[in-house]
Amino acid sequence: MTQNSSDPKNSAKTIVITRPAGDEIILRDELLERGYHVIHEPLTEIFLKHNVRMEIENALLSDPDAIIITSKHAVQALTLLTEMRDMFLLCVGEATANIATQLGFDRVSVTGETVEHLIDYILDCYDEESNFLYVSGEHINTDLSEALSVRAMNVERVVAYEAIAAESLSDTIIEQIKRGQIDALTFFSNRTAKIFVALAGKAGIENFLEETDAFALSQGIADTLNEIKWQGIYSADKATLASMVSCIDNTYKN
């Protein structure tokens, strides 16, 4: 776990980022620039499934109309599992699309900021019986195969990575929460919210969070966090990092 601080402005506000290692960097830097203290407490660790390389290659040989990518970890996994870069990618979010471009994919389309936007995009832009390869993590919230079956579309899903949940919160973060030294935690996925709720219960710190805020990337994530009594639960207007930062600033600077 790392802790950093910047200028005295907003120094009383200490914010915890719960994203996996490497995913916290942009948000951390944005918050530090605004004068917040930042602590990184990853609740998941990303592991690539190397044994699906052949599965990926076989799926690509079927010449899908497009490859569905809903996270940066999926595009990073795809990069490591195949040398092909000329396939057409449908990406959720500008950040994911930018990473795909940086990794050498030159046929990339942004379908919106959420999986729901992706579904609408595909239904609007593709013919019935279109075929897709969906490169994903082990845990997903939406069954794309079912969602697209209304147009007889076929989705072959290959699980290319897994986000392994932490077994416990760090002793340091538990003590800081008990002492009231944490002002807020940020959550970027429904699964991470569920993991935190479970680990907070395991550590017996739920009652210590009543003076702590939670910031969620979406209302669905916020609803999951309702299992704990927080001082406040705030949801970003859009499922983007910039919107999350604005949500934090609007809460603490206005």
Side-chain angles (χ1 to χ4, degrees):
M1 181 177 69
T2 58
Q3 182 168 345
N4 303 280
S5 62
S6 186
D7 57 62
K9 187 178 181 181
N10 288 322
S11 60
K13 301 303 181 184
T14 298
I15 300 174
V16 176
I17 302 175
T18 60
R19 307 192 79 184
D23 288 5
E24 87 287 1
I25 296 173
I26 297 177
L27 178 59
R28 179 200 66 193
D29 291 349
E30 289 284 346
L31 294 177
L32 288 175
E33 185 176 346
R34 288 163 169 76
Y36 298 101
H37 290 282
V38 179
I39 295 174
H40 184 212
E41 177 80 1
L43 297 183
T44 57
E45 186 174 357
I46 305 299
F47 288 92
L48 177 70
K49 292 182 176 291
H50 292 278
N51 60 343
V52 301
R53 184 183 301 274
M54 187 62 67
E55 191 176 351
I56 288 283
E57 294 291 351
N58 288 336
L60 291 174
L61 288 175
S62 68
D63 195 24
D65 293 291
I67 299 176
I68 296 172
I69 301 291
T70 57
S71 73
K72 82 168 196 175
H73 297 294
V75 75
Q76 290 168 337
L78 183 63
T79 303
L80 294 172
L81 293 169
T82 179
E83 295 180 358
M84 295 179 64
R85 297 291 182 270
D86 61 347
M87 66 280 277
F88 188 54
L89 303 189
L90 299 178
C91 295
V92 172
E94 291 280 356
T96 300
N98 289 339
I99 290 173
T101 301
Q102 293 168 14
L103 292 174
F105 297 96
D106 55 12
R107 301 173 63 204
V108 179
S109 180
V110 181
T111 64
E113 298 298 336
T114 67
V115 173
E116 288 71 25
H117 292 154
L118 166 80
I119 293 170
D120 291 340
Y121 180 96
I122 291 175
L123 292 176
D124 287 343
C125 298
Y126 284 85
D127 297 330
E128 290 189 8
E129 301 184 359
S130 293
N131 296 304
F132 302 94
L133 169 60
Y134 177 25
V135 180
S136 77
E138 182 74 35
H139 305 277
I140 57 174
N141 293 322
T142 304
D143 186 341
L144 289 180
S145 182
E146 180 180 351
L148 298 176
S149 65
V150 296
R151 295 283 301 279
M153 294 176 174
N154 177 63
V155 179
E156 180 178 358
R157 180 183 171 214
V158 175
V159 177
Y161 71 92
E162 183 174 6
I164 304 295
E167 295 183 356
S168 63
L169 297 172
S170 68
D171 292 339
T172 301
I173 207 71
I174 289 173
E175 285 305 310
Q176 287 178 310
I177 288 173
K178 286 182 176 180
R179 294 173 184 174
Q181 297 173 337
I182 302 299
D183 294 288
L185 292 95
T186 60
F187 298 93
F188 279 73
S189 74
N190 195 49
R191 182 162 179 259
T192 302
K194 290 179 179 178
I195 292 170
F196 181 81
V197 169
L199 295 183
K202 181 179 179 181
I205 59 171
E206 304 103 312
N207 293 338
F208 293 93
L209 293 164
E210 293 184 3
E211 295 184 1
T212 304
D213 294 318
F215 291 93
L217 192 65
S218 70
Q219 187 56 52
I221 299 171
D223 292 341
T224 298
L225 293 168
N226 267 323
E227 294 185 32
I228 291 177
K229 185 177 180 182
W230 302 82
Q231 177 172 262
I233 302 177
Y234 303 91
S235 176
D237 291 335
K238 298 180 180 179
T240 64
L241 187 146
S243 186
M244 172 70 87
V245 173
S246 294
C247 185
I248 294 170
D249 273 348
N250 290 339
T251 301
Y252 290 140
K253 292 186 176 182
N254 294 335

